[in-house]
Amino acid sequence: MDVRDLLTTPGLGLSVVAAERDALDRPVTAAYITDLPDPSRFLSTGDVVLTSGLWLDRPDGAETFLGALARQDVAALIVGLIEIGVIPDEVIAICRARGLTLLTVSPGVSFRQIADEIAARQPGSAAGLATRTMRFSRRIADTVSRGGGVAELLAQFSAEFSIGCWVIDETGMLLASVGAAPDRAQVAEQWNAVIAREHDKRVIVPGGRGGADQGPVTITRTGARDRSGFFGCWGDHRSFSDEVALAMDALVGALRVEMELAGRWRETRDAQVAGLITSIRDQEASPGAISARMRLEGLGPQDETTIVAAQVDDPRFPQAAVLEMLQRTLSARGHRVMGCRSQDLVVLLVNGPGDDDRPLAEHLAEEYHLLLAGRQLRVGMSDPVSGVSRLNSAIATAVERVQNASGTEPVVVSTSLHVQTHRALLRMLGESTRAGYAREVLAPLLSYDERHNADLVGTLRAFLDGGGAWQETARQLHLHTNTLRYRIARIEELTNRDMSTMSDRVDMFLAMTCLDESE
């Protein structure tokens, strides 16, 4: 601190009586209270001397006292007026002649209060450390209380300590920065470094990677693993002074409040959308309720809607980041999007025609390969459906496609062009079509089983699963082979099918698959 800082400190009641030009910029290192006639041996350069002026009663007292202060090059002299009433003109004249900065203090302020303030504001002192930390903590608390936000909190820290800093949210996006900001490659590197070490609160990322090398970076979690952002700043925190370290802890605590609020908002929205998607999947919501909710979200119920399901092949990769990637990309392509996290997947309703001028996989890979960092993003997409009645089957289709997606590219998108199983093919027909086909083909068997308490459907399932092998199927069912042959003959009679032909076996197999899906 300097003399000017001391003068502008609220509550000290200091004022200037005499001072040379630029004298107020002199650094202050300590305070010394004395009325000794000649205190020179106890003084050092940079001291502020506080005195009641009792040496004025001695012959040549002013010249001796003030001369000692000038020789020791003190920063300033503060004279209290309780004992002497006013500062004599002689004292003012000598101070001006010798270049001493002369201050006076209000009667209600004690010398001890001034001395304590000077001691508290010295770098490295315990009192100074506590005072500066408390002052900084008070400022950021005020910022939070009036809704200053993340950017203003970072500005407070950077202005106080001249350290560039930033915040990355849990999705890997740079929320705000002050001073020199990391580039996209550095943000991705820092974010991946922290999520890879999920139990570490603080991670040091070495310099020399990503963009321009500005040395190491300290990345600190601002919250729990499932609701966390990351505070970053240039430098290795282990080399920071105690006051910077304490201020950084205070800042991270304030950022935690901001990030927790944002995380809770995402969770609330997730829960709302997840509830809608669950009710669609389980057919618990009426078409009217689904349509109303879609309208509230800005989606058109009568427009074509595609269901998108996605996951990354690393369980540590936050689902919130997957959701953000897809929402940003699909919105940029002109779609209206609503999505959520659902168990180990991300599920989105993608509504309305978009401007899909290039493959989705290419778009995602170009935009997010840095965040993926060698991981694979798998995406399953249903065919577009009109209205809301077929959304449940579209969800099932998208989920199956993402689970069966294959490839070695960073982003794999599975659509109707990538159908690899009969179940995926059947799901393209819609649930009502599948259920109708199963009823049409298997109705005689279902009716017979219900009337006679039999299990011809179970026999047919075992026969088809066994590839039509008589002895193996009979063994699985604990039947004699002749009994199995009798049952299959009965099935052929009721369904008017010939189980010795491949075409009729395929019909029955597909009907059984559709029945299993509906059940």
Side-chain angles (χ1 to χ4, degrees):
M1 68 178 301
D2 55 27
V3 177
R4 191 184 309 278
D5 293 331
L6 199 60
L7 278 166
T8 57
T9 300
L12 293 188
L14 296 172
S15 56
V16 178
V17 177
E20 291 187 338
R21 185 179 179 181
D22 299 329
L24 301 184
D25 295 327
R26 295 194 61 185
V28 172
T29 58
Y32 185 67
I33 303 171
T34 183
D35 277 305
L36 291 173
D38 182 357
S40 55
R41 60 184 175 140
F42 302 109
L43 299 177
S44 301
T45 300
D47 283 349
V48 169
V49 177
L50 301 103
T51 182
S52 299
L54 301 182
W55 34 268
L56 285 169
D57 295 335
R58 290 176 166 271
D60 297 324
E63 184 66 41
T64 302
F65 185 85
L66 297 174
L69 271 56
R71 287 193 302 276
Q72 297 304 111
D73 196 24
V74 300
L77 167 65
I78 299 175
V79 178
L81 303 179
I82 294 176
E83 294 292 336
I84 62 176
V86 294
I87 299 177
D89 292 340
E90 176 191 8
V91 171
I92 298 174
I94 294 174
C95 286
R96 285 174 174 163
R98 292 183 172 271
L100 283 173
T101 300
L102 177 61
L103 311 178
T104 189
V105 60
S106 299
V109 178
S110 71
F111 286 170
R112 174 54 57 194
Q113 183 178 347
I114 298 172
D116 288 346
E117 179 68 22
I118 292 172
R121 297 178 65 175
Q122 296 307 306
S125 70
L129 180 62
T131 300
R132 191 175 184 186
T133 301
M134 186 178 301
R135 187 181 298 115
F136 178 76
S137 298
R138 191 159 46 242
R139 286 207 306 272
I140 64 173
D142 290 342
T143 300
V144 171
S145 65
R146 57 183 169 78
V150 171
E152 189 171 344
L153 289 170
L154 296 181
Q156 295 273 11
F157 180 79
S158 184
E160 183 76 18
F161 300 105
S162 300
I163 297 175
C165 53
W166 55 90
V167 168
I168 305 169
D169 72 9
E170 65 174 324
T171 72
M173 301 294 115
L174 184 66
L175 280 188
S177 65
V178 176
D183 61 26
R184 289 186 64 187
Q186 291 170 323
V187 169
E189 178 190 12
Q190 295 161 17
W191 184 78
N192 275 291
V194 181
I195 67 171
R197 296 167 61 178
E198 56 185 334
H199 299 297
D200 291 349
K201 178 184 176 182
R202 189 166 281 159
V203 174
I204 306 300
V205 180
R209 306 178 191 175
D213 180 18
Q214 300 194 50
V217 167
T218 298
I219 306 295
T220 306
R221 287 184 187 275
T222 62
R225 177 182 180 273
D226 58 347
R227 191 192 296 150
S228 180
F230 311 109
F231 167 74
C233 64
W234 300 111
D236 185 332
H237 73 96
R238 294 169 296 189
S239 65
F240 291 167
S241 66
D242 289 341
E243 61 182 348
V244 173
L246 288 172
M248 190 166 73
D249 288 342
L251 175 62
V252 169
L255 290 172
R256 182 178 298 118
V257 175
E258 296 294 315
M259 304 303 286
E260 285 280 338
L261 290 174
R264 287 174 185 169
W265 181 88
R266 279 193 295 268
E267 287 176 358
T268 300
R269 176 157 178 79
D270 252 14
Q272 293 171 344
V273 179
L276 174 63
I277 289 177
T278 299
S279 65
I280 293 172
R281 184 191 62 204
D282 298 340
Q283 296 182 291
E284 295 174 348
S286 67
I290 296 171
S291 298
R293 179 58 193 279
M294 289 180 69
R295 289 191 188 95
L296 285 174
E297 297 290 342
L299 280 64
Q302 301 309 315
D303 294 339
E304 285 191 338
T305 300
T306 300
I307 302 297
V308 174
Q311 64 181 176
V312 169
D313 61 351
D314 180 356
R316 295 174 299 182
F317 197 89
Q319 284 187 317
V322 181
L323 182 59
E324 183 71 14
M325 289 178 184
L326 287 160
Q327 284 181 324
R328 282 176 176 261
T329 302
L330 292 167
S331 296
R333 292 160 74 93
H335 297 287
R336 299 183 294 270
V337 184
M338 177 173 66
C340 70
R341 293 169 280 190
S342 178
Q343 297 177 348
D344 61 341
L345 293 173
V346 165
V347 180
L348 303 98
L349 278 70
V350 183
N351 184 249
D355 182 19
D356 299 342
D357 57 345
R358 58 174 169 161
L360 179 61
E362 178 184 311
H363 194 161
L364 287 166
E366 178 181 320
E367 191 70 20
Y368 297 110
H369 70 280
L370 292 172
L371 280 184
L372 288 171
R375 304 176 184 88
Q376 185 181 68
L377 170 62
R378 293 192 288 265
V379 180
M381 299 179 64
S382 74
D383 296 320
V385 296
S386 297
V388 299
S389 60
R390 294 176 56 196
L391 287 177
N392 63 323
S393 60
I395 291 174
T397 299
V399 170
E400 179 168 9
R401 285 178 181 170
V402 73
Q403 291 172 343
N404 293 320
S406 61
T408 58
E409 299 85 359
V411 179
V412 176
V413 177
S414 177
T415 67
S416 58
L417 300 177
H418 306 88
V419 175
Q420 297 180 345
T421 68
H422 67 280
R423 290 183 182 274
L425 184 64
L426 288 172
R427 283 182 178 161
M428 294 176 63
L429 300 176
E431 185 174 356
S432 59
T433 301
R434 297 196 306 269
Y437 178 71
R439 286 195 304 270
E440 187 71 21
V441 175
L442 300 175
L445 302 184
L446 295 169
S447 177
Y448 183 90
D449 284 349
E450 185 176 355
R451 292 197 314 271
H452 297 88
N453 194 26
D455 191 19
L456 291 182
V457 171
T459 300
L460 176 61
R461 180 182 286 108
F463 182 73
L464 294 172
D465 288 344
W470 294 99
Q471 290 186 346
E472 178 60 25
T473 303
R475 188 183 66 80
Q476 291 289 336
L477 295 174
H478 305 289
L479 299 175
H480 192 278
T481 304
N482 290 339
T483 304
L484 176 61
R485 290 184 183 277
Y486 169 78
R487 291 189 180 183
I488 296 299
R490 189 64 174 140
I491 290 171
E492 291 175 330
E493 178 184 346
L494 291 170
T495 60
N496 196 28
R497 307 277 175 164
D498 182 357
M499 298 303 293
S500 66
T501 66
M502 179 60 71
S503 60
D504 282 354
R505 282 193 187 184
V506 169
D507 287 345
M508 300 297 278
F509 179 77
L510 294 178
M512 289 297 302
T513 302
C514 290
L515 179 66
D516 293 342
E517 290 286 329
S518 63
E519 289 178 347

